[in-house]
Amino acid sequence: MTQTTEAAQAPEDSRPVRPAPSHRVHRAWLVAAVTFVTIIGAAAFRSLPGLLIDPLHQEFHWSRGTIGAAVSINLALYGLTAPFAAALMDRFGIRRVVAVALTVIAVGSGLTVWMTAAWQLLLCWGLLVGLGSGSMALAFAATVTNRWFTERKGLVTGILTAASASGQLIFLPLLSWIVTEHDWRPAAVTVSLAALAVVPFVWLLLRDHPADVGQMPYGATEFVPKPEPARGAARRAVTVLFSAVRTGPFWLLAGTFAICGASTNGLVQTHFVPAAHDHGMPITAAASLLAVIGVFDVIGTIASGWFTDRFEPRRLLAVYYALRGISLLFLPMLLAPTVHPPMIFFIVFYGLDWVATVPPTLALCREQYGEDSAIVFGWVLASHQVGAALVAFLGGFARDRFGSYDVVWYASGALCAAAALMALVIRRRRPAVPAPAAAVSPAPA
């Protein structure tokens, strides 16, 4: 009777939490599914910039360098916002931050319909959409993975990373058809509505921590209480950065990921469609090829997550970058008015390697920086987007200056070779060695 009374009087948060029955799907997988759908909705806007370069150039007579500058701002903010977003999620919760970010994306994309000057493109597509998307960058996936999973982290990271490719797969053919048949403005509205449509799913289904629903993280053996909201989000993000920059692995991870961004988002995602169009390929055909890259990106990224759980991530990164560099060196010879078998081979090969670098990079961040890994990865992602931003601008500038993109393809292939070498020299973090029992001072009586 006494034990029963004491149990009844115990505070609710101190009661032991029973694990869910083994036959039920763990709530972590539902949260991962909502995160996947959310990233797909946000990925819609990332499918559009490459399709807008020629239409905006023809309608407003803006140079490709100017349009590329708006994409550059977008990509840079996408990365620079990420580490602060990870800290904000610790302070205000995942659900609130992501819902606001999706709304900002919708507003920024929708306002472009009324723009008449280049500065408005920089403001709407560069600033607003960049800030919103940065708050839903891969740091979002890293935060969800770290909180909800103790096992299968590599696999979940691969699945969530593949969500961006899935969004590209879904929206690229649709948006290219809309741009070709109905102008670019309806395409911008479509992106805005897609972002808004995801908000209710986030608000109703996403949860910040397993403790919110009385469960343990997937694979955990004991209950993990929800931490108190972290204050000073911006200060923490900067503090973690200052600590990380004093270590060699951070610069190697940031350097390789900058090259990753330069050779994917900055180059292929932004300039592949106009480059193919320069060779006489219809925009819809080029956009469809880019969408096919998304198909194989899903396969390659999930496979990379599986590999990361089983193989040395440094060697995986070196192989990924080397293969990507080789494929980019061949691309200028493959561009033609029609789609032919060698181009299809490139699309499949390159697609498998598109963001396969993310799971091993995130695994190395966890190995090196522990509890701060999500914020450190946010800064590493910032370098990814800075690299993408530079090439998004320089690619347009090179096209205006030289009349083709060839020099950009070759330079990116060489950079990938450098990234492969950098990945191999990242040192392995040695686990802490416990002090010998004799060296431990006895506790005071």
Side-chain angles (χ1 to χ4, degrees):
M1 179 68 180
T2 302
Q3 293 178 350
T4 305
T5 304
E6 290 177 353
Q9 293 176 347
E12 182 178 349
D13 58 359
S14 65
R15 296 174 185 171
V17 178
R18 297 177 181 177
S22 58
H23 64 274
R24 295 179 58 187
V25 176
H26 195 283
R27 180 63 179 264
W29 294 109
L30 174 61
V31 172
V34 174
T35 303
F36 185 89
V37 173
T38 302
I39 296 175
I40 285 178
F45 84 93
R46 298 180 62 192
S47 303
L48 195 56
L51 304 178
L52 295 184
I53 292 178
D54 285 339
L56 293 179
H57 175 70
Q58 293 170 6
E59 179 173 338
F60 298 107
H61 305 291
W62 299 334
S63 70
R64 291 177 176 83
T66 298
I67 301 169
V71 179
S72 179
I73 293 172
N74 179 298
L75 293 172
L77 287 176
Y78 177 89
L80 294 172
T81 306
F84 296 98
L88 285 172
M89 289 177 188
D90 288 342
R91 175 67 179 88
F92 298 105
I94 299 173
R95 185 168 57 166
R96 292 179 182 177
V97 173
V98 172
V100 171
L102 283 166
T103 304
V104 172
I105 290 172
V107 171
S109 179
L111 288 177
T112 58
V113 173
W114 292 283
M115 68 182 179
T116 56
W119 68 266
Q120 295 166 345
L121 177 66
L122 299 177
L123 174 65
C124 295
W125 206 262
L127 181 63
L128 291 179
V129 177
L131 288 174
S133 59
S135 299
M136 294 184 42
L138 291 174
F140 170 38
T143 301
V144 169
T145 304
N146 287 345
R147 290 188 183 184
W148 282 88
F149 292 86
T150 58
E151 293 182 356
R152 307 291 179 88
K153 284 188 175 182
L155 176 62
V156 175
T157 300
I159 292 173
L160 296 182
T161 303
S164 292
S166 300
Q168 177 175 293
L169 164 65
I170 294 169
F171 287 102
L172 256 178
L174 172 64
L175 293 177
S176 65
W177 178 82
I178 293 174
V179 170
T180 302
E181 299 295 329
H182 302 285
D183 197 23
W184 62 270
R185 287 178 177 83
V189 173
T190 301
V191 169
S192 181
L193 294 177
L196 281 178
V198 184
V199 174
F201 292 94
V202 171
W203 196 254
L204 295 175
L205 300 177
L206 194 62
R207 292 294 179 268
D208 295 330
H209 195 276
D212 289 340
V213 292
Q215 286 193 341
M216 298 182 294
Y218 180 83
T221 57
E222 59 184 28
F223 181 71
V224 179
K226 183 177 181 178
E228 292 294 325
R231 299 184 181 276
R235 182 171 61 253
R236 184 186 174 207
V238 174
T239 300
V240 170
L241 173 64
F242 284 164
S243 176
V245 296
R246 294 196 290 268
T247 65
F250 174 81
W251 292 104
L252 291 170
L253 289 168
T256 56
F257 224 40
I259 294 172
C260 178
S263 56
T264 54
N265 301 75
L267 181 61
V268 174
Q269 188 170 43
T270 304
H271 294 292
F272 177 80
V273 172
H277 191 54
D278 284 346
H279 288 76
M281 184 179 294
I283 291 178
T284 51
S288 297
L289 288 176
L290 204 56
V292 173
I293 287 179
V295 176
F296 289 95
D297 179 22
V298 173
I299 299 172
T301 307
I302 294 175
S304 178
W306 188 86
F307 289 144
T308 302
D309 287 333
R310 291 161 175 80
F311 300 104
E312 172 57 50
R314 296 159 187 78
R315 295 180 180 177
L316 289 176
L317 283 180
V319 171
Y320 295 158
Y321 284 121
L323 293 177
R324 182 185 300 175
I326 292 171
S327 66
L328 288 173
L329 293 176
F330 281 97
L331 181 57
M333 297 178 283
L334 302 178
L335 292 170
T338 59
V339 179
H340 47 85
M343 173 58 78
I344 295 175
F345 178 80
F346 167 83
I347 293 298
V348 173
F349 187 86
Y350 184 85
L352 291 171
D353 197 10
W354 177 273
V355 286
T357 55
V358 173
T361 300
L362 183 51
L364 289 172
C365 284
R366 292 195 194 101
E367 175 189 305
Q368 297 287 335
Y369 303 104
E371 293 296 324
D372 292 329
S373 62
I375 296 178
V376 172
F377 181 71
W379 286 112
V380 172
L381 177 63
S383 71
H384 179 282
Q385 296 308 116
V386 169
L390 287 172
V391 173
F393 169 72
L394 292 175
F397 176 81
R399 172 62 178 80
D400 291 333
R401 178 67 177 83
F402 301 109
S404 76
Y405 287 99
D406 288 359
V407 65
V408 188
W409 304 123
Y410 295 136
S412 296
L415 285 174
C416 288
L421 296 176
M422 292 167 65
L424 289 174
V425 299
I426 298 174
R427 64 177 175 81
R428 184 191 298 269
R429 184 180 178 88
R430 296 179 180 179
V433 179
V440 179
S441 301

